[in-house]
Amino acid sequence: MHKFLLVGNANTGKTTLFNSLSKSNEHTGNWHGVTNQEKVAKFKFEKQIYEVVDLPGIYSMTPHSFEEKVATDYIYANLDCPVINICDLNNIQRNLFLTLELIELGMKVFLVINQMDKKPFNNVDVDLLKNELGCPVFLLDASNKKQVANLKAELSKINEFEFKLPYNYIGDVDYNLHIKKQNVKINKKYLIIKLYENDKYLMENYLAENVKIPDLSETFAKKRYEFIATLKSIKHVDKKVYGYSGLDKILLNKYLALPIFISILLCIFYLTFFSLGAFISNFLQYLIQDLFGSWFIHFISSFVKTQWIVDLFDVALIGGIGSILSFLPQVTLLFFFLAILEDSGYLSRVAFLFEDIFSKVGLSGKGVYTLLMGFGCSASAILTSRNMEDKNAKIKTALMTPFMSCSAKLPIYAVLGGAFFGAGNVVVVLGLYLLGVVLGLTLCYILEKTSFKSKQQSFILEFAHLRFAKPNRIFAIIFDNLKQFLIRIGSLLICVNVIIWLLSSFSFRFGYVQFTGEKSMLQVLGELLCFIFKPLGFGNWGATSALIAGLVAKEVVVSSIAIFNGVSGGENQISKSLSSPSSVVFFTPASALAYMAFCLLYTPCIATLGVLKNEIGTKLMLFSVILQFSIAYLIAFLVFKISSFIELLGIFQTVLIVCAVLFIVFCIIFVLSKKRCLNCNYCKKKCKKIKKDI
Amino acid sequence: MLYLSNCLTGDKVIVAGFKSEMPQNIKKRLCQLGIFSGTEIIFVQKSILKKVILIEVNFYMLSIRFDIASMIEVKHA
């Protein structure tokens, strides 16, 4: 079976071609660093099976970030495999730099020139380019099925092609350089060039100890670019500035850039959580729980006479799972807007804007992508931290990500906020999202100033071309995320809900608590632990147990509350049950707010912890668990106390008191900041004056 | 000596060299992207807090940190 490695610069359409070749549905985007680990798929052509490996984007065989290292390591480990090197026609000169390095490495390179904007191809003389580079060349639009089918036919004939080295643009090299290993798999000339380019990885592995060689990377880069400039086949390619349009003058304007970004975010939140999202969500809830749910329970109870089995279906499945499923439209809308932001190329502008702020906390502006993806799913967002250049910056980005409010927490805000804050929930939800971002960045700032100081970073980021987001790509992103959401509901959440229902419905003597009146197993365990949360205002066993269940997946918090309160009628009924003191889980407005803040910040779900462990190690993952729990506890405590104060005194009095306290604190800091001496108990300057007078 | 960071919007300059303090890995990345002595650069704009700059190089746009730009020696085209 042939294996092809898909290699190319970032954002040239590698994953699009990968999807087209193998009919996969991998995440694509108009951003540098969407693919952060190798992905393997197979395709069939004329009864022959081929394997294709999609690798993260690289600009050169000398890696600069963690994801680039993943790609180069994979290439070095599979030197015998042919490479499909995909280049973007809009930026062909720079893309060919990597092509030359791959040819120098001695790989079988199949050059594919991707034309994403569907301009005519006649600017490139394909036959001449084949001769000039000594490798097969193919022009296509990676999303065009017909052209991809033709590419498959060409790929199947790769062994028939006579590969030859192009003109010797590098010149001769010093073959006497002392190399540690003798049986080197890598092409010797390439190895020597890379050693003279001071490639860290190759130097560690191949250069003999104590041998020092000058860094000639600039010289070799120049030689490659000079050779590319002489290629007659691409001389007539349309030279137009790529990545900057007239709209950028508005989007990057120093007065308009931030208001535009904030307006976009506010629109997304409003449409997702309230107007459109809430409307579709209520409709779906009516369909699932009022129509399907009541029919299903009627159907079950017609032939099952055991009450606890009917209750299991009614509360654990229809109530618990239905309560999460009804949020499907809101989750879909959130992914829809994130996909538009990602595919339009606007994210590289946002990264440019936020580099100023991010550099102060030791991060790179590229962290904006991780941060925004964190609003979708923390686990996949953490993987994007691989595009950081520095290890400490990567650790900080990974630790910051779980502070972002992921889509799984959305039902918690909708249910609790809807119950206690009504229309004001817009402000509450927005405040929670903002709180997560501020705390995440503050944590990074503290880590930067203490033990995780980042090295100097370049923030060398290529601007993605601004374009209308493509519907098929948006659909693919939404489909992929919804598939994962539904798989989680269909597998993990059903099991967890059934277990939670069983634990909350049966006593340790296995009696059904509705009939025996005994305490359920979960109630006994919850009552043992709920004292921990008493200072936060939600020290009842139900709320405590829901938080523990939320460690599996955050969606379980709402479904657990629905099970404990015995509700099977959806979001509105759960909300109503929360304010009734007779319910197992009940809140006051202050404790509900504290509960929402706690859910936002406490220990992330198991999937996220698994990714954290892989990316930053077990110790730092445990640090993250303890740190997030502590911060969540502290913030929830403060939120509860301040909210209780407001409940007790009213907003006006509270604002007055807060102002007075702030004034006193300010005065104390002001007085303490004055330098004093023991002589006169006054400032230094005055003291000297007094001394002089004496 | 004129540095890339001192340029104004719309300035067309040619790279003359790099300061010796420039970290080697960053210099390497710039070379890979086609920025070395002799390359023509157009200064497009600075970010709001002036920590990052946007430049045009070989018909594509690139953003780099201001402190890196202050280590790239340039001369007017």
Side-chain angles (χ1 to χ4, degrees), chain A residues 239-275:
Chain A
K239 281 177 181 163
K240 195 181 148 197
V241 180
Y242 187 67
Y244 195 77
S245 63
L247 195 58
D248 280 315
K249 286 182 182 153
I250 301 167
L251 293 176
L252 298 175
N253 180 286
K254 63 176 174 180
Y255 301 112
L256 295 175
L258 274 179
I260 288 173
F261 177 68
I262 291 166
S263 309
I264 290 172
L265 278 193
L266 285 176
C267 279
I268 291 174
F269 282 114
Y270 185 73
L271 287 171
T272 305
F273 298 108
F274 304 101
S275 63

Side-chain angles (χ1 to χ4, degrees), chain A residues 59-60 62 64 68 91 94 97 197-198 215 217-218 221-222 225 239-244 252 352-353 355-356 359-360 363 456-463, chain B residues 18 23-34 36-37 44-54 56 58-65 67-68 71:
Chain A
Y59 288 100
S60 155
T62 306
H64 198 63
E68 287 184 10
N91 213 333
R94 203 206 53 219
F97 182 89
E197 283 184 357
N198 284 195
D215 184 2
S217 48
E218 191 179 349
K222 251 183 181 179
Y225 273 106
K239 281 177 181 163
K240 195 181 148 197
V241 180
Y242 187 67
Y244 195 77
L252 298 175
F352 178 73
L353 289 175
E355 169 66 14
D356 290 339
S359 63
K360 286 198 187 324
L363 294 179
Q456 188 177 28
Q457 288 185 66
S458 57
F459 185 60
I460 299 171
L461 180 76
E462 189 191 340
F463 254 44
Chain B
F18 300 102
Q24 281 304 310
N25 62 331
I26 294 174
K27 186 183 162 188
K28 259 189 210 107
R29 173 44 49 106
L30 291 172
C31 291
Q32 290 160 5
L33 292 170
F36 38 73
S37 44
V44 180
Q45 75 170 92
K46 282 178 190 173
S47 67
I48 299 170
L49 296 179
K50 297 174 183 174
K51 290 264 182 188
V52 197
I53 62 162
L54 187 63
E56 185 196 314
N58 295 331
F59 303 99
Y60 71 94
M61 308 300 293
L62 205 62
S63 62
I64 54 172
R65 275 197 181 169
D67 46 2
I68 300 297
M71 287 186 265

